[in-house]
Amino acid sequence: MQELHDEKTGKAKKERTPMPEQPADVRRMNFNEVTLGYRKEDALTEASRCLSCKDPKCVEGCPVNVDIPGFIKLVCEEDFAGAIEKIKGTNALPAICGRVCPQETQCEALCVLGKKGQPVAIGRLERFCADYEHQKGVKVPEIPEPTGKTVAVVGSGPAGLTAAADLAKLGHKVTIFESLHKAGGVLSYGIPEFRLPKEIVRQEVEYIKQLGVEFRPNYIIGRIKTLDELCDEFDAVFLGTGAGLPSFMGIPGENFNGVYSANEFLTRVNLMKAYDPLYETRVRRGNHVVVVGGGNVAMDSARSALRLGADEVSIVYRRGEDEMPARREEIEHAKEEGIIFRLLTNPVRILGDEKFNVTAVECVKMELGEPDKSGRRSPVPVDGSEFTIPADVVVIAIGTSPNPIIFKGSEGLEQNNRGTVVADEETGATSKCGVFAGGDVVTGAATVISAMGAGKKAAKAIDEYLKEK
Amino acid sequence: MGKTTKQLAKLSEGESLEDFVGPLGTPADIRKLGTVILVGGGVGVAPIYPQAKAYTKAGNRVISIIGARNKDLLILEDEMGKASTELYIATDDGSKGHHGFVTDIMKRILDSGEKVSRVVIIGPPIMMKVGAGVAFPYDVEILVSLNSIMVDGTGMCGGCRVTVDGKTKFTCVDGPEFDARKVDFVELMNRLAMYRGEETKAVEKYEEECRCGLH
């Protein structure tokens, strides 16, 4: 293999260009974005590391198959406008993906450079290009002649936005129905400002509106209108309703005041801006906050609680750190900020006072047993190891499942026993004619980019379905 | 009555809210049952009114009982009279109708021996709790309509969880109507009090701003 050398320093370019970020002791006090983004020189240095492989593996790792070497080559040539155009050829939400995609398990995991050193920081370069475009003003692509076909998209999260954008670019008239007052789904209510600024989400949604997509906020399918009614009114329907129903643990004391689902906690903070005194919605500011769970949502909840002014925030997770489903980067960021990790620990009871306020979480120590169906070693309680953690706010972040409201008035829409919609993996086609689905509503809670990938595949299938119809 | 209610009350005809969503929840199960007693307390009379119309339309004998602290706070009296077969009124201070609680009248009717199929009670949680307690021993279905604190109203936040028959339910999608005999009212009232301190402060601030002519 050819030896890589930086042209200026002569040093082997094994290491990626670091991402500028707010220092941990500063950012733990504010809701501003943690990472600051590459400057132009950072982007050029990093882009120059790309080998422009003839058979690029990274593209295979991307659920929406962005032409990664293609856009990085344009970055090298300082044609940033060309680079973002290349990305947007397949990805309608690059500013979001560049921030929240788990690149380390997708495109970057397959980068050839990763075998001997660090892979190209593809996500950071994608974000750089998207942010560059937002600064310069977003170019709206030409919209083809209308086909006369109409598509209803239910849900304006990553799956719905992606499907809507692709369908609009093909000339179909798309209407998105969103239950909340703001578009974006989990991008708006779930992922915190410090990880994904809401202004970014607003700009990306604005771009999709400019493609001619119509938004109908405050519109709950399953209540205000049923899926059956949508099928009558539109030529096709895409369901991207996500996994919005919070799971609770089912342990005593879970209804004490101060115990939140992560959905409620994060919605109050992100969507309703409870951290900002100018907004009306409140959230309880805890001094001792316990977050239950080990995923990205648990990290987001813990770090939000810290920024609201908690003295101590701990994450309680029943398995070990290696088993945590959260992104490594999020775990590291949380640790840097001073979040306490109480691993191999499981809550068994929540304690409260006479005024019904939570006071503590009783936990039991766990040890890892044999691997379970998911391949992770399953935790087993250690007898007699009970102890309590004082807490005035507890956030339950153990997962979500699809909101069953969509099944009301949806004759023939098959669901499986986990409450998810049964859909073809390649096309998103469901058991109901003309109805396609993708994202968390099909897979259960997963990532933004996998939802976008599903939205993309479904858009292609819907287009073919409409041509044949 | 919180700050937002006060803001809503200040709206004039023709003004609008930026966002509104609904209807939400599980629709009330209204059909012909025979005799139905509808009990509305305070602003709870407002949601009882469409039920009175619907139960009457479904062919029921509708006995409505509405109440308030005093006659000036009593709402929809004429409308309820028209929508019901019989209408009784109670005020805490005796300024109109029965001097006492709506539940006193309900008990009297249940004691009269008339076969009543269902009682629906809507009002402040304490009134629903007391009402459910009074009707408990009788052979009658008792429904209450709960008003838990919610964020989205679609089942997403779980803030409105209430214990019914020992199980956690979401008022927004599983409710708002539940079998009163199975509702944990103590938990409900405690959960409703969660933001009371903040709400009081918000009201005080808002009223102060109103006095200064800011709204």
Side-chain angles (χ1 to χ4, degrees), chain A residues 205-252:
Chain A
V205 168
E206 200 52 43
Y207 168 75
I208 286 168
K209 283 184 186 167
Q210 286 173 1
L211 292 170
V213 173
E214 188 193 340
F215 270 87
R216 299 287 303 271
N218 307 307
Y219 215 110
I220 299 169
I221 302 305
R223 278 293 180 231
I224 298 172
K225 217 174 252 239
T226 62
L227 182 58
D228 290 340
E229 287 171 298
L230 284 188
C231 288
D232 291 340
E233 291 171 37
F234 292 85
D235 296 315
V237 179
F238 175 73
L239 293 179
T241 47
L245 196 75
S247 301
F248 286 92
M249 303 191 70
I251 57 174

Coordinates of all heavy atoms in Angstrom, one line a residue, chain A residues 205-252:
Chain A
V205 N -36.1 21.6 6.6 CA -37.5 21.5 6.4 C -37.9 22.5 5.3 O -38.7 22.3 4.4 CB -38.3 21.6 7.7 CG1 -39.8 21.8 7.4 CG2 -38.1 20.4 8.6
E206 N -37.4 23.7 5.5 CA -37.6 24.8 4.5 C -37.3 24.4 3.1 O -38.0 24.6 2.2 CB -36.8 26.0 5.0 CG -37.4 27.3 4.4 CD -38.8 27.6 4.7 OE1 -39.4 27.3 5.8 OE2 -39.5 28.0 3.7
Y207 N -36.1 23.7 3.0 CA -35.7 23.2 1.7 C -36.7 22.3 1.1 O -37.1 22.4 -0.1 CB -34.3 22.5 1.8 CG -33.9 21.7 0.6 CD1 -33.4 22.4 -0.5 CD2 -33.9 20.3 0.6 CE1 -32.9 21.6 -1.6 CE2 -33.5 19.6 -0.5 CZ -33.0 20.2 -1.6 OH -32.6 19.5 -2.6
I208 N -37.3 21.4 1.9 CA -38.3 20.4 1.4 C -39.6 21.1 1.0 O -40.2 20.8 0.1 CB -38.4 19.3 2.4 CG1 -37.2 18.4 2.4 CG2 -39.7 18.5 2.2 CD1 -37.0 17.5 3.5
K209 N -39.9 22.2 1.8 CA -41.1 23.0 1.4 C -40.9 23.6 0.0 O -41.8 23.7 -0.8 CB -41.4 24.1 2.4 CG -42.0 23.6 3.7 CD -42.3 24.8 4.6 CE -42.9 24.2 6.0 NZ -42.9 25.3 7.0
Q210 N -39.6 24.1 -0.2 CA -39.3 24.7 -1.5 C -39.4 23.8 -2.6 O -39.6 24.2 -3.8 CB -38.0 25.4 -1.4 CG -38.0 26.7 -0.6 CD -36.6 27.3 -0.4 OE1 -35.6 26.8 -0.9 NE2 -36.5 28.4 0.3
L211 N -39.3 22.5 -2.3 CA -39.5 21.5 -3.4 C -41.0 21.4 -3.8 O -41.3 20.6 -4.7 CB -39.0 20.1 -3.0 CG -37.5 20.0 -2.8 CD1 -37.2 18.7 -2.1 CD2 -36.8 20.1 -4.1
G212 N -41.9 22.1 -3.1 CA -43.3 22.0 -3.4 C -44.1 21.1 -2.4 O -45.3 20.9 -2.7
V213 N -43.5 20.6 -1.4 CA -44.2 19.8 -0.5 C -45.0 20.6 0.5 O -44.6 21.6 1.0 CB -43.2 18.9 0.4 CG1 -43.9 18.1 1.5 CG2 -42.4 18.0 -0.6
E214 N -46.3 20.2 0.7 CA -47.2 20.9 1.5 C -47.2 20.3 2.9 O -47.2 19.0 3.1 CB -48.6 20.9 1.0 CG -49.6 21.7 1.7 CD -51.0 21.5 1.4 OE1 -51.3 20.9 0.3 OE2 -51.9 21.8 2.2
F215 N -47.1 21.1 4.0 CA -47.1 20.6 5.3 C -48.5 20.9 6.0 O -49.0 22.0 5.9 CB -46.1 21.4 6.2 CG -44.8 20.7 6.2 CD1 -43.8 21.0 5.2 CD2 -44.4 19.8 7.1 CE1 -42.6 20.3 5.2 CE2 -43.2 19.1 7.1 CZ -42.3 19.4 6.1
R216 N -49.0 19.8 6.6 CA -50.3 20.0 7.4 C -49.9 19.6 8.9 O -50.0 18.5 9.3 CB -51.4 19.0 6.9 CG -51.7 19.3 5.4 CD -52.6 20.5 5.2 NE -53.8 20.6 6.0 CZ -55.0 20.1 5.6 NH1 -55.1 19.6 4.4 NH2 -56.0 20.2 6.4
P217 N -49.5 20.6 9.7 CA -49.2 20.4 11.1 C -50.5 20.1 11.9 O -51.6 20.3 11.4 CB -48.5 21.6 11.5 CG -49.0 22.7 10.7 CD -49.4 22.1 9.4
N218 N -50.3 19.7 13.2 CA -51.5 19.5 14.1 C -52.5 18.5 13.5 O -53.7 18.7 13.6 CB -52.2 20.8 14.4 CG -51.2 21.9 15.0 OD1 -50.4 21.6 15.9 ND2 -51.2 23.0 14.4
Y219 N -52.0 17.6 12.8 CA -52.9 16.7 12.0 C -52.6 15.2 12.4 O -51.6 14.7 11.9 CB -52.8 16.9 10.5 CG -54.1 16.8 9.8 CD1 -54.7 17.9 9.2 CD2 -54.7 15.5 9.6 CE1 -55.9 17.8 8.5 CE2 -55.9 15.4 9.0 CZ -56.5 16.5 8.4 OH -57.7 16.4 7.7
I220 N -53.5 14.6 13.1 CA -53.2 13.3 13.6 C -54.0 12.2 12.8 O -55.2 12.2 12.9 CB -53.6 13.1 15.1 CG1 -52.7 14.1 15.9 CG2 -53.3 11.7 15.6 CD1 -53.1 14.3 17.3
I221 N -53.2 11.4 12.0 CA -53.8 10.4 11.3 C -54.2 9.2 12.2 O -53.3 8.8 13.0 CB -52.9 9.9 10.1 CG1 -52.6 11.1 9.2 CG2 -53.6 8.8 9.3 CD1 -53.8 11.9 8.7
G222 N -55.4 8.8 12.2 CA -55.9 7.8 13.1 C -56.9 8.4 14.0 O -57.7 7.7 14.7
R223 N -56.9 9.8 14.1 CA -57.9 10.5 14.9 C -58.7 11.5 14.0 O -59.9 11.4 13.8 CB -57.2 11.3 16.0 CG -57.0 10.4 17.2 CD -58.2 10.0 17.9 NE -58.0 9.1 19.0 CZ -58.5 7.9 19.2 NH1 -59.4 7.4 18.4 NH2 -58.3 7.2 20.3
I224 N -58.0 12.5 13.5 CA -58.6 13.5 12.7 C -59.1 13.0 11.3 O -60.2 13.3 10.8 CB -57.7 14.7 12.5 CG1 -57.4 15.3 13.9 CG2 -58.3 15.8 11.6 CD1 -56.3 16.4 13.9
K225 N -58.2 12.1 10.8 CA -58.5 11.4 9.6 C -57.9 10.0 9.7 O -56.9 9.9 10.4 CB -57.9 12.2 8.4 CG -58.7 12.2 7.1 CD -58.0 13.1 6.1 CE -58.8 14.3 5.9 NZ -59.3 14.7 4.7
T226 N -58.5 9.0 9.1 CA -57.9 7.7 9.2 C -57.1 7.4 8.0 O -57.2 8.1 6.9 CB -59.0 6.6 9.3 OG1 -59.8 6.7 8.1 CG2 -59.9 6.8 10.5
L227 N -56.3 6.4 8.1 CA -55.5 5.9 6.9 C -56.4 5.5 5.8 O -56.1 5.8 4.6 CB -54.6 4.7 7.4 CG -53.7 4.2 6.3 CD1 -52.7 5.2 5.8 CD2 -52.9 3.0 6.9
D228 N -57.5 4.9 6.1 CA -58.5 4.5 5.0 C -58.9 5.7 4.2 O -59.0 5.7 3.0 CB -59.7 3.8 5.6 CG -59.3 2.4 6.1 OD1 -58.3 1.9 5.7 OD2 -60.0 1.9 7.0
E229 N -59.2 6.8 5.0 CA -59.6 8.1 4.3 C -58.5 8.6 3.4 O -58.8 9.1 2.3 CB -60.1 9.1 5.3 CG -61.4 8.7 6.0 CD -61.8 9.7 7.1 OE1 -61.1 9.7 8.1 OE2 -62.8 10.4 7.0
L230 N -57.3 8.6 3.9 CA -56.1 9.1 3.1 C -56.0 8.3 1.8 O -55.7 8.8 0.8 CB -54.8 9.0 3.9 CG -54.5 10.0 5.0 CD1 -53.1 9.8 5.5 CD2 -54.7 11.4 4.5
C231 N -56.3 6.9 2.0 CA -56.1 6.1 0.8 C -57.2 6.5 -0.3 O -56.9 6.4 -1.5 CB -56.3 4.6 1.2 SG -54.9 4.0 2.1
D232 N -58.3 6.9 0.2 CA -59.4 7.4 -0.8 C -59.0 8.7 -1.5 O -59.3 8.9 -2.6 CB -60.7 7.6 -0.1 CG -61.3 6.3 0.4 OD1 -60.9 5.2 -0.1 OD2 -62.1 6.3 1.3
E233 N -58.3 9.6 -0.7 CA -58.0 10.9 -1.2 C -56.7 11.0 -2.0 O -56.5 11.9 -2.8 CB -57.9 11.9 -0.1 CG -59.3 12.1 0.6 CD -59.2 13.0 1.9 OE1 -58.3 13.9 1.9 OE2 -59.9 12.7 2.8
F234 N -55.7 10.1 -1.7 CA -54.4 10.2 -2.4 C -54.1 8.9 -3.2 O -54.7 7.9 -2.9 CB -53.3 10.4 -1.3 CG -53.4 11.7 -0.6 CD1 -54.2 11.9 0.5 CD2 -52.6 12.8 -1.0 CE1 -54.3 13.1 1.1 CE2 -52.7 14.0 -0.4 CZ -53.5 14.2 0.7
D235 N -53.2 9.1 -4.2 CA -52.9 7.9 -5.0 C -52.0 6.9 -4.3 O -52.0 5.7 -4.6 CB -52.2 8.4 -6.3 CG -53.1 9.3 -7.1 OD1 -54.3 8.9 -7.3 OD2 -52.6 10.3 -7.6
A236 N -51.3 7.4 -3.3 CA -50.4 6.5 -2.5 C -50.2 7.2 -1.1 O -50.3 8.4 -1.0 CB -49.1 6.2 -3.2
V237 N -49.8 6.3 -0.1 CA -49.5 6.9 1.2 C -48.2 6.3 1.7 O -48.0 5.1 1.5 CB -50.7 6.5 2.2 CG1 -50.4 7.0 3.6 CG2 -52.0 7.0 1.7
F238 N -47.4 7.1 2.3 CA -46.2 6.6 3.0 C -46.3 6.9 4.5 O -46.6 8.0 4.9 CB -44.9 7.3 2.5 CG -43.7 7.0 3.3 CD1 -43.1 5.7 3.1 CD2 -43.1 7.8 4.2 CE1 -42.0 5.3 3.8 CE2 -42.0 7.4 4.9 CZ -41.4 6.2 4.7
L239 N -46.2 5.8 5.3 CA -46.2 5.9 6.8 C -44.8 6.0 7.3 O -44.0 5.1 7.2 CB -46.9 4.7 7.4 CG -48.4 4.5 7.1 CD1 -48.8 3.2 7.8 CD2 -49.2 5.6 7.6
G240 N -44.5 7.2 7.9 CA -43.2 7.3 8.6 C -43.5 7.9 9.9 O -43.0 9.0 10.3
T241 N -44.3 7.2 10.7 CA -44.8 7.7 12.0 C -43.9 7.5 13.1 O -44.1 7.9 14.3 CB -46.2 7.2 12.3 OG1 -46.2 5.8 12.1 CG2 -47.2 7.8 11.3
G242 N -42.8 6.7 12.9 CA -41.8 6.6 13.9 C -42.2 5.7 15.1 O -43.2 5.0 15.0
A243 N -41.4 5.7 16.1 CA -41.7 5.0 17.3 C -41.8 6.0 18.5 O -40.9 6.4 19.1 CB -40.5 4.0 17.6
G244 N -43.1 6.4 18.6 CA -43.3 7.5 19.5 C -43.9 7.2 20.9 O -44.1 8.1 21.7
L245 N -44.1 5.9 21.1 CA -44.8 5.5 22.4 C -43.7 5.1 23.4 O -43.0 4.2 23.2 CB -45.7 4.4 22.1 CG -46.8 4.1 23.1 CD1 -47.9 5.1 23.1 CD2 -47.4 2.7 22.9
P246 N -43.6 5.8 24.5 CA -42.6 5.5 25.5 C -42.8 4.2 26.3 O -44.0 4.0 26.6 CB -42.6 6.7 26.4 CG -44.0 7.3 26.3 CD -44.5 7.0 25.0
S247 N -41.8 3.5 26.5 CA -41.9 2.3 27.4 C -41.6 2.7 28.8 O -40.7 3.5 29.0 CB -40.9 1.2 26.9 OG -41.2 0.8 25.6
F248 N -42.3 2.1 29.7 CA -41.9 2.3 31.1 C -41.5 1.0 31.7 O -41.6 0.0 31.0 CB -43.1 2.8 31.9 CG -43.4 4.3 31.6 CD1 -44.3 4.7 30.6 CD2 -42.8 5.3 32.4 CE1 -44.6 6.0 30.4 CE2 -43.1 6.6 32.1 CZ -44.0 7.0 31.1
M249 N -40.9 1.0 32.9 CA -40.3 -0.2 33.4 C -41.3 -1.1 34.1 O -41.1 -2.3 34.2 CB -39.2 0.1 34.4 CG -38.2 1.0 33.9 SD -36.8 1.1 35.0 CE -36.1 -0.5 34.8
G250 N -42.4 -0.5 34.5 CA -43.4 -1.4 35.2 C -43.0 -1.7 36.6 O -43.4 -2.7 37.2
I251 N -42.2 -0.8 37.3 CA -41.8 -1.0 38.6 C -42.6 -0.1 39.6 O -43.1 0.9 39.1 CB -40.3 -0.8 38.8 CG1 -39.9 0.6 38.4 CG2 -39.5 -1.9 38.0 CD1 -38.4 0.9 38.7
P252 N -42.7 -0.5 40.8 CA -43.5 0.4 41.8 C -42.9 1.8 41.8 O -41.7 2.0 41.8 CB -43.3 -0.3 43.1 CG -42.9 -1.7 42.8 CD -42.2 -1.7 41.5

